[in-house]
Amino acid sequence: MVSYFRYKLLLRKIAKHEEELEKRAPPNTREAHENGQVQDYVHESNNLNEWKRLVQTERYRKIADRLLVQMPSIEDGTMYEQVEWDNDPGQPRYLTDKGFRAIRDAIREEQKQRREAVGYWFGIVVGIIGALTGLVSAFKG
């Protein structure tokens, strides 16, 4: 549960940074392009997007671990992209849109199967309780 709140807090923090970045967006003029303001803006925007993707990837990894669902292979270039930050020598990987779809579908399928198993046993238990209630009322009446 703590992990979920931490995840939401990080997403809110990233959204706040994105709003601040939008307020500082340079005008789309030749001068802004020539002096590098637009390039700096795009670079910072890309960094925020990568940060958001890393946070989301970590969240899905934790959910997949809890449900025993296998994450997509890190070797698959269509499922992951690599962070190109100069200040991060590890250059972690984050899921692409295709990777997010794959893991979301796998998680949903596992959750569906677990719900169906619970529903099966719930039906049996309710049936037994109903039968016992009927027997008790038949013997009393």
Side-chain angles (χ1 to χ4, degrees), residues 93-137:
R93 296 177 185 261
Y94 58 89
L95 289 167
T96 61
D97 289 338
K98 183 178 179 183
F100 278 120
R101 277 192 300 277
I103 192 63
R104 255 194 324 260
D105 290 345
I107 287 171
R108 285 180 181 152
E109 183 63 30
E110 180 63 24
Q111 288 172 334
K112 178 182 173 186
Q113 288 178 359
R114 288 180 181 212
R115 276 191 308 271
E116 288 174 354
V118 169
Y120 172 78
W121 287 108
F122 182 75
I124 289 174
V125 169
V126 167
I128 290 172
I129 291 172
L132 290 174
T133 304
L135 281 173
V136 167
S137 68

Side-chain angles (χ1 to χ4, degrees), residues 82-100:
Q82 193 168 8
V83 174
E84 302 274 340
W85 293 340
D86 295 335
N87 59 356
D88 191 350
Q91 294 185 340
R93 296 177 185 261
Y94 58 89
L95 289 167
T96 61
D97 289 338
K98 183 178 179 183
F100 278 120

Side-chain angles (χ1 to χ4, degrees), residues 54 57-58 61 70-82 90-96 99:
L54 284 169
T57 298
E58 186 59 30
R61 184 173 284 118
Q70 187 170 355
M71 290 287 289
S73 172
I74 210 158
E75 302 300 323
D76 189 352
T78 61
M79 296 290 183
Y80 287 92
E81 287 183 19
Q82 193 168 8
Q91 294 185 340
R93 296 177 185 261
Y94 58 89
L95 289 167
T96 61

